[in-house]
Amino acid sequence: MNAKRSDHLATGLIYTFVAIVVLILFGLIGYILVSGVPHLSWHFLTTPSKAFAAGGGIRDQLFNSLYLLILTLIISFPIALGAGIYLAEYAPDNWVTSVMRTAIEVLSSLPSVVVGLFGYLLFVIQFQMGFSILAGAIALTFFNLPLLTRNIETSLSAVPNLQREAGIALGLSSWKTTTGIILPAAVPGILTGVILSAGRVFGEAAALIYTAGQSAPVLNYGNWNAFDPNSFLNPLRPAETLAVHIWKVNAEGIVPDIDAVSNGTAAVLIIVILIFNISARMLGNRLYNKLTSSK
Amino acid sequence: MDEIKDRLLKPSKATHEDQRGKFISYLSIGLIAVLVISILVFITIHGLAMFTQNGMKISDFLFKTDWNPGKKLIGALPMIVTSFGVTLLSALIATPFAIAVALFMTEFAPKRGAKFLQVIIELLVGIPSVIYGLIGLAIVVPAVRTIYGGTGFGILAGAIVLFVMVLPTITSLTVDSLKAVPRHYRQASLALGATRWQTIYKVILRAATPGILTAVVFGMARAFGEALAVQMVIGNAAMLPQNLTSPSATLTSQLTMGIGNTIMGTLPNNALWSLALLLLIMSLVFNLVVKLIARKGRIK
Amino acid sequence: MKRSITIALSLLTLLIIVTGCGNKQSQSKKMTIVGSTALQPLVEQVASEYSEKNQDISITVQGGGSGTGLSQVQTGAVLIGNSDVFASQADGIDADKLVDHEVAVVGIVPVVNPKIGVKNLTMQQLQDIFTGKITNWKSVGGKNEEIIVINRAQGSGTRITFEQSVLGKKTAVKSQEQDSNGTVQQIVGSTPGAISYVSFSYVNNKIQPLSIDGVKPNVTNVTTNAWKIWSYEHMYTRKNPGTEVDKFLKYIQSHEVQSKLVKQLGYISIHDMKVSKDANNHVSK
């Protein structure tokens, strides 16, 4: 049986490819963790970084990364959701839509540094935001929008038409059908998009160097007044993230423990992303079950 | 009676809501359009400045090979060739792996395997370029040097690093498009007595082709625009690559390296913006080409 | 779902309003400094000490490169622009409109991969290597190994200084380029046959610093100009930048900062210099 043999062959091939990929991924993550985890300590996580002496930590960078992620999602998620709904549910199949789609894809291929400079000249200088988390979040929105929009659109389109028809048949408006039936069913797919784009936020450096800046001024974590320049909540203060910190330490760092700081930070980044992914997934599953009453 | 008539003739609450909802979604897409247009206009204006203000020739820019804007040499061909080289090579390596992993996750996978792989892949997206670059410098470059000789810096090293970087993007988007293939396609095929591989090859992959191509474009776009990681392993020598292991420079690496050292409004700075414009136009072309392929490959 | 969209949108609006208000409030006491990544750590450190002493002022220090620093101070977008090069050395900058404040001196040293076995070169040999005349380490007394030149990015301050002092008017050979001290340090340390140059503070045990004509690269030799490859770190302002800026610049040039922080960060104090240099590389006592 020829078909059977090629079936076996193909299966074997696919398993081999997967094995290779798994090997690479494990090697990579293992490499980062093995070289980084030994440098981790409570002290490392809770002290501010140092300019030239050994023993600096990453307290502010860690917080900045998380804060930046939240701000970016607040800005980009609603827009992407609206756009995704438009593309999946309302968009007519004509050249305008097709141009829109192409434009979104082009947006995602812009090199970070170009977006960074655009953000710098427009937001930091022109709109006088200064080097700030907000400017950084807006710049990151440029990367996130295409990914998120695309993802939301695909997840919405993947929901069977049957569900739409059922909604309409029940007399619901198409908006109600979309938000009440289609959207909940698409939650897991949308979540993947959010997680992927969150990863991009954590990992981005080039665009942030020119927008959120590369210095981490001393923060006061007891100051809840978001207007105060010292406050950790102020969206208008410059903020160096973990990824930028790694870049900076390796490019121009003169601390004697560059390797420790750089590898340690990388390990922290991986662990943070892991925690974020797992908790987002758990939350998403719960949300999915609740919204679709599948349990 | 009139009251009822009025109520029936007036738009209902649901209609209002519907309109408002539509408005929100139109607003969002409009906002994205504004963003895209503003950044396109911005880059185009800056990118054309070299030709309009400094009087450089576009043909020199595209076809000459000497790059030293400080001395009015603006041949960008080496960077164009290298950028294409690394992007195509990395996509070429990554695509089969990505499709294999995606198939494994959707068609073969025990549920747990798929979930596990997904977490790992999402993890990879979050690793900063700098780290890929550093690992490339520590492992890939020496490996290439030992195996192929030369300095180890070059297109090959760049493509290997990019391969790992674009793998998650291509894989996760491919998974989405495979999942979007309706289940009854599979059932119909299997019911006809097709083996799993026949179903995958003749039905699922065919149905998912446009989606997979989009995934590849997204991956290539990422590879094309990637700067920090490539910059560390490509060698950054603005020379036409002699082979896969000779130091060369991509559009992005040249852009990132030079932008902080040049003065706004001068020729060297404008030349870098022209590189950015070129980058933009080329990713546009990529998109269009793939759109054409996708249209042809669509099942009727 | 719709409610969450509304909430998010209103949050966004709020954020934008916050931005508008926040600006007006804090402009009076804010000082932004942009430019050279090499100078950034020093200025950052000084700024944080300075703001501890002067609570009412908040200083933001960012990198972005010398070119960015000079462009932005020229257009008035920032108050101070950090630069590794003289403003007159940069095309497109009107140096007459800017005021130079030299805040530190940095020495630059050629470095090679330690396995080459070369520890000293003549100035002529160094020039020949970087112009591509000598291509094998054998010719200068090292191993039989091809020379791999790693230059710095075009227009970078370190490269301008190096080429001015070593190459004179000659053009460097086309070669690999890197854009930071850190990367150069790593690549030279791991690539057989590599040669490049870094600031003094980036020399570590994985790379071999070279003496030139028997002169060792150290602080004393820089202060007397016996070691020729060095440059100033500049902080440029526009004319009459205001008392706050003047006070800060005075502080960074003060003996207190120069004798402590400047040295700790691996620079050379401007007060230790026995010679001075102008933009055309003329040295005077």
Side-chain angles (χ1 to χ4, degrees):
Chain A
M1 279 288 266
N2 219 350
K4 273 234 166 104
R5 262 185 73 189
S6 64
D7 184 51
H8 282 303
L9 204 69
T11 311
L13 206 65
I14 287 176
Y15 274 90
T16 321
F17 271 52
V18 172
I20 294 173
V21 170
V22 170
L23 219 65
I24 293 175
L25 303 191
F26 265 88
L28 195 64
I29 294 168
Y31 180 88
I32 295 171
L33 288 180
V34 166
S35 52
V37 170
H39 301 296
L40 297 190
S41 62
W42 187 242
H43 174 79
F44 185 65
L45 293 177
T46 52
T47 34
S49 59
K50 290 192 172 143
F52 56 90
I58 52 166
R59 181 189 72 187
D60 300 334
Q61 285 81 3
L62 183 58
F63 174 77
N64 287 340
S65 279
L66 296 171
Y67 192 38
L68 184 68
L69 172 68
I70 294 169
L71 275 184
T72 308
L73 283 181
I74 289 180
I75 298 175
S76 55
F77 186 72
I79 303 175
L81 190 61
I85 291 177
Y86 172 81
L87 286 175
E89 307 293 331
Y90 293 117
D93 193 12
N94 60 15
W95 67 272
V96 180
T97 314
S98 149
V99 166
M100 235 11 262
R101 264 182 238 270
T102 311
I104 292 175
E105 271 161 37
V106 169
L107 194 59
S108 80
S109 63
L110 287 175
S112 317
V113 64
V114 172
V115 175
L117 281 164
F118 171 75
Y120 172 66
L121 293 175
L122 196 65
F123 305 120
V124 175
I125 303 288
Q126 203 72 37
F127 295 168
Q128 300 198 355
M129 285 182 195
F131 286 95
S132 61
I133 302 198
L134 190 63
I138 297 175
L140 284 175
T141 301
F142 278 84
F143 297 116
N144 269 353
L145 277 180
L147 204 67
L148 270 176
T149 309
R150 175 92 205 161
N151 212 289
I152 292 173
E153 188 204 340
T154 356
S155 333
L156 290 177
S157 305
V159 177
N161 254 332
L162 220 62
Q163 304 234 21
R164 282 185 194 91
E165 286 156 16
I168 305 285
L170 285 171
L172 296 179
S173 67
S174 70
W175 177 251
K176 199 85 202 154
T177 314
T178 307
T179 51
I181 299 176
I182 312 295
L183 209 53
V187 162
I190 294 176
L191 207 67
T192 315
V194 172
I195 292 174
L196 281 175
S197 64
R200 190 88 201 253
V201 174
F202 279 128
E204 183 54 53
L208 291 178
I209 292 166
Y210 290 95
T211 50
Q214 37 175 318
S215 68
V218 182
L219 299 178
N220 180 356
Y221 288 89
N223 187 344
W224 287 80
N225 174 8
F227 295 97
D228 196 293
N230 287 329
S231 165
F232 68 107
L233 284 176
N234 186 348
L236 287 173
R237 64 183 170 82
E240 183 190 32
T241 64
L242 290 173
V244 175
H245 190 58
I246 297 173
W247 172 81
K248 187 172 137 188
V249 164
N250 278 294
E252 299 289 349
I254 44 172
V255 290
D257 54 350
I258 288 182
D259 283 344
V261 172
S262 159
N263 294 340
T265 312
V268 169
L269 200 57
I270 295 271
I271 294 168
V272 169
I273 297 171
L274 194 66
I275 294 173
F276 179 81
N277 286 7
I278 292 174
S279 49
R281 204 162 288 284
M282 271 162 43
L283 209 76
N285 279 341
R286 197 173 288 177
L287 195 70
Y288 178 74
N289 289 338
K290 207 178 143 200
L291 289 175
T292 58
S293 21
S294 51
K295 251 179 204 167
Chain B
M1 276 308 263
D2 274 358
E3 233 173 77
I4 296 175
K5 193 178 157 200
D6 264 4
R7 228 180 36 221
L8 282 175
L9 285 179
K10 262 193 199 153
S12 68
K13 206 178 141 206
T15 315
H16 275 303
E17 213 177 71
D18 195 44
Q19 279 166 348
R20 229 175 308 151
K22 237 183 199 171
F23 176 71
I24 291 178
S25 79
Y26 277 69
L27 193 73
S28 310
I29 198 85
L31 196 65
I32 292 190
V34 170
L35 283 183
V36 173
I37 291 169
S38 63
I39 198 163
L40 291 191
V41 168
F42 179 85
I43 293 171
T44 311
I45 289 175
H46 279 271
L48 290 179
M50 183 169 77
F51 309 113
T52 55
Q53 289 172 16
N54 305 95
M56 294 287 150
K57 283 202 207 105
I58 296 187
S59 57
D60 285 359
F61 180 63
L62 291 179
F63 302 115
K64 291 226 167 129
T65 55
D66 277 317
W67 176 263
N68 189 348
K71 297 211 164 71
K72 301 208 162 183
L73 297 168
I74 52 151
L77 189 65
M79 277 81 80
I80 299 175
V81 172
T82 311
S83 270
F84 263 114
V86 272
T87 306
L88 290 176
L89 196 61
S90 62
L92 216 61
I93 312 174
T95 308
F97 281 98
I99 293 179
V101 174
L103 282 173
F104 177 79
M105 284 168 68
T106 52
E107 312 300 322
F108 290 74
K111 272 191 177 168
R112 229 179 262 164
K115 261 208 182 125
F116 178 69
L117 271 175
Q118 192 163 7
V119 171
I120 303 251
I121 282 169
E122 281 159 7
L123 205 58
L124 280 187
V125 180
I127 300 178
S129 326
V130 196
I131 298 192
Y132 280 110
L134 288 171
I135 294 179
L137 204 55
I139 295 173
V140 179
V141 171
V144 172
R145 180 163 55 225
T146 336
I147 300 170
Y148 298 99
T151 58
F153 294 93
I155 291 183
L156 186 63
I160 293 174
V161 170
L162 282 177
F163 151 65
V164 184
M165 294 185 71
V166 298
L167 193 63
T169 316
I170 303 184
T171 309
S172 59
L173 288 171
T174 304
V175 167
D176 288 347
S177 63
L178 290 179
K179 275 190 186 152
V181 176
R183 181 178 281 177
H184 59 256
Y185 281 29
R186 296 182 179 87
Q187 292 163 339
S189 167
L190 291 172
L192 286 171
T195 59
R196 178 158 64 176
W197 174 241
Q198 282 172 329
T199 309
I200 289 172
Y201 184 67
K202 299 223 163 118
V203 179
I204 301 173
L205 284 184
R206 287 302 311 272
T209 300
I212 295 175
L213 282 174
T214 318
V216 176
V217 184
F218 262 85
M220 291 216 282
R222 171 116 208 239
F224 220 75
E226 176 49 50
L228 289 181
V230 178
Q231 191 187 323
M232 289 175 128
V233 297
I234 196 97
N236 306 312
M239 298 184 275
L240 268 183
Q242 307 298 312
N243 50 48
L244 292 184
T245 52
S246 73
S248 43
T250 62
L251 293 166
T252 44
S253 75
Q254 208 62 27
L255 186 59
T256 321
M257 288 224 316
I259 205 86
N261 295 317
T262 52
I263 310 288
M264 282 286 194
T266 59
L267 176 62
N269 190 271
N270 289 341
L272 293 175
W273 282 104
S274 300
L275 290 185
L277 179 63
L278 198 62
L279 220 45
L280 194 74
I281 294 173
M282 277 165 42
S283 55
L284 211 68
V285 171
F286 262 134
N287 265 300
L288 293 178
V289 168
V290 168
K291 279 252 154 69
L292 284 180
I293 302 171
R295 193 167 295 167
K296 276 200 175 159
R298 201 184 287 164
I299 39 170
K300 280 147 201 157
Chain C
M1 252 323 159
K2 208 193 86 209
R3 187 176 298 157
S4 66
I5 295 175
T6 325
I7 291 172
L9 277 179
S10 40
L11 264 177
L12 187 68
T13 330
L14 193 78
L15 220 63
I16 291 165
I17 296 168
V18 166
T19 334
C21 302
N23 262 326
K24 277 170 218 141
Q25 277 190 346
S26 46
Q27 233 157 28
S28 56
K29 48 183 177 175
K30 236 182 181 172
M31 194 193 292
T32 308
I33 306 175
V34 174
S36 154
T37 38
L39 188 52
Q40 194 193 350
L42 172 66
V43 181
E44 220 173 351
Q45 202 63 28
V46 176
S48 88
E49 277 190 13
Y50 187 75
S51 7
E52 258 168 51
K53 288 177 191 161
N54 304 273
Q55 291 284 353
D56 55 331
I57 194 154
S58 99
I59 304 174
T60 306
V61 186
Q62 298 297 338
S66 301
T68 313
L70 288 171
S71 316
Q72 297 309 329
V73 73
Q74 174 163 280
T75 58
V78 298
L79 285 174
I80 303 177
N82 293 340
S83 171
D84 302 337
V85 295
F86 283 97
S88 56
Q89 287 174 319
D91 285 334
I93 291 293
D94 190 354
D96 295 337
K97 290 201 175 129
L98 298 177
V99 187
D100 184 10
H101 307 266
E102 286 157 1
V103 294
V105 170
V106 58
I108 295 160
V109 55
V111 291
V112 296
N113 185 285
K115 293 204 190 89
I116 292 162
V118 172
K119 287 184 180 162
N120 179 50
L121 287 175
T122 65
M123 197 56 124
Q124 189 59 42
Q125 284 171 331
L126 191 63
Q127 196 186 78
D128 289 347
I129 288 175
F130 274 87
T131 50
K133 267 193 210 151
I134 299 178
T135 54
N136 196 305
W137 285 111
K138 207 169 50 182
S139 338
V140 291
K143 281 203 303 187
N144 180 13
E145 177 106 49
E146 205 193 324
I147 295 179
I148 292 166
V149 174
I150 294 166
N151 219 325
R152 295 292 288 274
Q154 279 171 10
S156 92
T158 318
R159 176 159 172 177
I160 289 176
T161 307
F162 185 81
E163 295 195 335
Q164 207 170 39
S165 318
V166 175
L167 300 188
K169 295 230 151 51
K170 296 200 177 78
T171 316
V173 65
K174 271 196 177 181
S175 66
Q176 297 194 34
E177 290 172 5
Q178 290 298 336
D179 70 344
S180 68
N181 281 306
T183 343
V184 165
Q185 182 195 56
Q186 281 177 4
I187 290 178
V188 170
S190 63
T191 311
I195 181 168
S196 188
Y197 46 90
V198 294
S199 308
F200 279 6
S201 44
Y202 292 91
V203 173
N204 64 7
N205 55 12
K206 289 180 196 129
I207 50 180
Q208 171 67 49
L210 297 181
S211 303
I212 298 177
D213 297 326
V215 179
K216 285 215 165 69
N218 58 34
V219 175
T220 333
N221 286 336
V222 169
T223 54
T224 57
N225 197 41
W227 180 264
K228 303 244 165 21
I229 321 170
W230 57 273
S231 71
Y232 292 105
E233 292 292 348
H234 311 264
M235 292 177 80
Y236 278 96
T237 58
R238 301 224 274 185
K239 284 187 176 139
N240 307 320
T243 44
E244 287 298 346
V245 175
D246 276 338
K247 259 166 74 187
F248 178 68
L249 288 171
K250 284 253 162 58
Y251 178 72
I252 199 168
Q253 285 172 327
S254 70
H255 278 278
E256 183 192 351
V257 171
Q258 291 287 331
S259 59
K260 261 174 56 198
L261 269 180
V262 166
K263 283 184 182 158
Q264 281 172 335
L265 283 149
Y267 300 99
I268 300 160
S269 157
I270 46 168
H271 302 302
D272 290 349
M273 294 304 289
K274 299 190 175 65
V275 293
S276 68
K277 207 187 229 180
D278 67 11
N280 301 318
N281 213 24
H282 290 306
V283 176
S284 49
K285 291 229 167 191

